[in-house]
Amino acid sequence: MLRRLGALGTCICLAGCAVGPNFVQPPSPEVDRYTAASLPATSPGKAQPFVVAEDVPTRWWSAFRSEPLDRLVRATVVRNPTLQAADAAIKVAHFNALAQRGLFFPQVSASYGPSTQLSSNNEASDAPQQRLSLHTAQLNIAYTFDVWGGNARAVESLDAVTEQQQFLLEATHLTLTANVVTAAIGEASLRGQIAATKKIVAIERDILGILKSQFEAGQAAQVDVLTQEAALAQVEQTLPPLEKQLAIQRDLLTALAGNYSAAQVPERFELARLSLPHNIPVLVPSTLVRRRPDVRAAEANLHAVSAQVGVAVAARLPNISVGASTAGASATNFAQLFAPGTGFYLLAANATQPIIDGMTLLHKQRAAEAALEQADAQYRQAVISALQNVADALQSLQHDAALVRAAAKSEAAAKASLDIIRKQLALGQVNQVVVLNAQQTYLNASIAHVQAEATRLSDAAALFMAIGGSWPAGCGTDWRSCVLDDLPITAALQ
């Protein structure tokens, strides 16, 4: 009976069709560059070529050539709860899709129900009370034919959701690693600013000592000493905010690594130990939209919503189901359940067609079609945002090189000027106003140079994030080993 029922259902399903739109992958954008004007292959200042590539390395953060950064990213990928949650979301979607596939098969259940009944006896009767026992065992089978492919569309939608969750995991991994790199660069920038500020503090203390000596010798006025003390105090006042920001930045890195704030990460970062990546690979726009995980996730969502239109259409069409209770038996005691003559069965078929439902199913179909329009617009917006991200990063890196070069020249000139003024001050050839201006100029130039270097590194990380990183094929559930595989840095980054 069960075999015949399954075969009949298969035949009807094969004869039916899946209603609703068939998903077609959206076309790639018809553009061949990211900016209105073509960018030069090499940025001004320190050479940093952008090379056209078909892929980017999975371990892109190794391009910064920092062992502490590699260790921290590895720890983050292993322990961060956000990645673990994204990994679990894939399993949820996968098992939901498997559960939906179960409706392609007959639903079989078994039941057993014993009961005992004691009849009532009134006072006028001398007959003893009657006790009646009944044991019923049966096998229940139900099957709904997927005539219009409604269940097939539901499975298709859930499979697309599973695929979407996979891409969201990749996007989470990319965002998390980029955040770690950017936070590490932020820590290095703060350490550089603190170091530059302490250097200025030492210089100003030296100048204060010169002025005190001149005051004691009658060569300088007391107001000059007091003015220098005030200038020194103002520079020292800038240190606590920087140190506070550094402490907060350390907490951020610790949290990204999946640790509690009390167990800070041991890695420390300085600008001198972070190298600017060379030969950054840039994907052409058509390749970018096929590789970037957030765009692929938007495409998978579009696929899932498209299949839901078919589910809504199928719900409005006639449906056929078969139900049966077979191999059932009923007897007054358990031992007789298997005796001849106690068996029974029931076989029934049912065809349904919605007639009046207050236009509920029609409106659900229209809602599904509107959701498809929404998902299509969201996909197109994801593509536009992806191209904008790359364009922004490329433009930033083009201007960062010139900014770093100008900041370095400004710092060098300010330092040379301050050195000359310090010598003139020792000889009593300059007034205090000139000294104060030179100190402030050098402080500003030093901080600006540190920030420019950090900005250039951060924009390089932003470009890697914008082009989508890379996810090795065939990782499966052991994806952490894939993305953390100790492979050498690819030639494109050397």
Side-chain angles (χ1 to χ4, degrees):
M1 173 72 70
L2 181 60
R3 184 178 301 174
R4 292 179 180 178
L5 188 60
L8 178 60
T10 303
C11 292
I12 295 181
C13 287
L14 292 176
C17 60
V19 295
N22 292 320
F23 178 73
V24 178
Q25 188 178 47
S28 299
E30 296 180 357
V31 293
D32 57 359
R33 61 189 183 190
Y34 295 98
T35 56
S38 298
L39 295 174
T42 304
S43 56
K46 186 178 180 180
Q48 182 183 310
F50 305 125
V51 296
V52 178
E54 291 296 326
D55 203 352
V56 293
T58 302
R59 294 172 57 244
W60 59 267
W61 54 85
S62 297
F64 292 90
R65 291 174 173 79
S66 169
E67 291 185 5
L69 183 59
D70 286 345
R71 291 196 302 269
L72 183 59
V73 171
R74 180 180 295 274
T76 300
V77 172
V78 171
R79 296 198 297 261
N80 188 273
T82 303
L83 276 177
Q84 296 169 3
D87 194 13
I90 298 176
K91 299 176 183 177
V92 172
H94 173 66
F95 289 123
N96 282 335
L98 291 180
Q100 191 69 32
R101 278 180 169 81
L103 298 182
F104 285 127
F105 302 93
Q107 306 299 300
V108 182
S109 63
S111 64
Y112 167 70
S115 64
T116 300
Q117 178 181 352
L118 181 65
S119 62
S120 175
N121 190 3
N122 54 41
E123 297 179 357
S125 174
D126 295 332
Q129 288 183 289
Q130 298 294 322
R131 185 184 299 274
L132 176 64
S133 296
L134 182 65
H135 296 261
T136 303
Q138 63 184 39
L139 186 67
N140 301 309
I141 303 174
Y143 182 71
T144 300
F145 298 104
D146 194 23
V147 180
W148 308 108
N151 191 58
R153 290 299 192 194
V155 170
E156 179 185 354
S157 177
L158 291 173
D159 283 342
V161 171
T162 304
E163 186 179 30
Q164 179 189 20
Q165 292 300 328
Q166 175 62 45
F167 290 130
L168 289 177
L169 169 64
E170 297 178 22
T172 301
H173 170 265
L174 176 62
T175 302
L176 183 61
T177 52
N179 286 342
V180 171
V181 173
T182 302
I185 295 171
E187 177 183 325
S189 175
L190 289 170
R191 291 190 186 279
Q193 294 177 55
I194 290 173
T197 303
K198 288 182 176 179
K199 185 177 180 180
I200 298 298
V201 168
I203 292 174
E204 296 208 2
R205 284 176 177 170
D206 179 64
I207 292 175
L208 179 61
I210 294 174
L211 289 172
K212 285 183 176 180
S213 298
Q214 291 178 343
F215 172 70
E216 293 173 357
Q219 299 175 352
Q222 185 179 12
V223 66
D224 293 337
V225 175
L226 295 176
T227 301
Q228 183 61 28
E229 287 180 346
L232 174 60
Q234 288 179 350
V235 176
E236 291 176 334
Q237 189 178 1
T238 63
L239 278 174
L242 290 173
E243 291 170 344
K244 181 184 75 172
Q245 292 179 45
L246 177 60
I248 294 174
Q249 196 74 4
R250 296 287 298 168
D251 290 341
L252 173 61
L253 285 170
T254 301
L256 289 173
N259 294 343
Y260 296 113
S261 56
Q264 285 199 345
V265 294
E267 291 80 11
R268 294 166 56 92
F269 300 98
E270 298 177 359
L271 288 178
R273 297 185 179 181
L274 292 169
S275 300
L276 184 69
H278 299 297
N279 300 322
I280 298 181
V282 179
L283 308 178
V284 297
S286 59
T287 303
L288 176 75
V289 298
R290 297 287 175 252
R291 298 293 183 89
R292 189 160 142 151
D294 60 333
V295 176
R296 296 299 306 277
E299 180 184 322
N301 178 63
L302 179 62
H303 188 179
V305 174
S306 173
Q308 284 298 321
V309 175
V311 175
V313 173
R316 300 181 60 199
L317 299 174
N319 201 12
I320 300 175
S321 62
V322 174
S325 297
T326 62
S330 179
T332 57
N333 60 68
F334 184 80
Q336 292 180 343
L337 279 176
F338 306 99
T342 61
F344 64 90
Y345 73 87
L346 172 66
L347 179 64
N350 185 38
T352 60
Q353 166 64 57
I355 298 176
I356 300 176
D357 62 353
M359 302 184 74
T360 299
L361 297 178
L362 174 61
H363 289 152
K364 286 186 176 181
Q365 178 184 336
R366 290 177 177 174
E369 292 168 347
L372 180 59
E373 295 177 7
Q374 179 188 33
D376 178 69
Q378 290 172 340
Y379 170 79
R380 288 184 281 110
Q381 183 59 52
V383 172
I384 292 173
S385 298
L387 300 186
Q388 178 194 358
N389 294 157
V390 177
D392 290 347
L394 289 173
Q395 297 276 20
S396 297
L397 283 172
Q398 290 300 115
H399 294 86
D400 286 345
L403 178 61
V404 170
R405 182 175 57 181
K409 288 183 178 180
S410 176
E411 182 183 19
K415 179 64 168 60
S417 175
L418 181 59
D419 289 342
I420 293 174
I421 291 174
R422 289 172 66 186
K423 293 178 182 179
Q424 293 176 337
L425 177 66
L427 299 175
Q429 298 176 349
V430 295
N431 58 40
Q432 184 62 19
V433 175
V434 175
V435 175
L436 293 177
N437 290 337
Q439 292 173 165
Q440 189 62 43
T441 300
Y442 181 50
L443 173 62
N444 294 339
S446 298
I447 297 298
H449 187 199
V450 170
Q451 292 175 339
E453 292 282 3
T455 298
R456 194 179 189 190
L457 290 170
S458 296
D459 287 338
L463 179 56
F464 276 112
M465 181 176 178
I467 59 181
S470 180
W471 191 266
C475 278
T477 57
D478 191 24
W479 57 269
R480 288 181 177 83
S481 298
C482 289
V483 300
L484 296 177
D485 192 11
D486 290 321
L487 298 175
I489 300 176
T490 58
L493 297 178
Q494 295 178 345

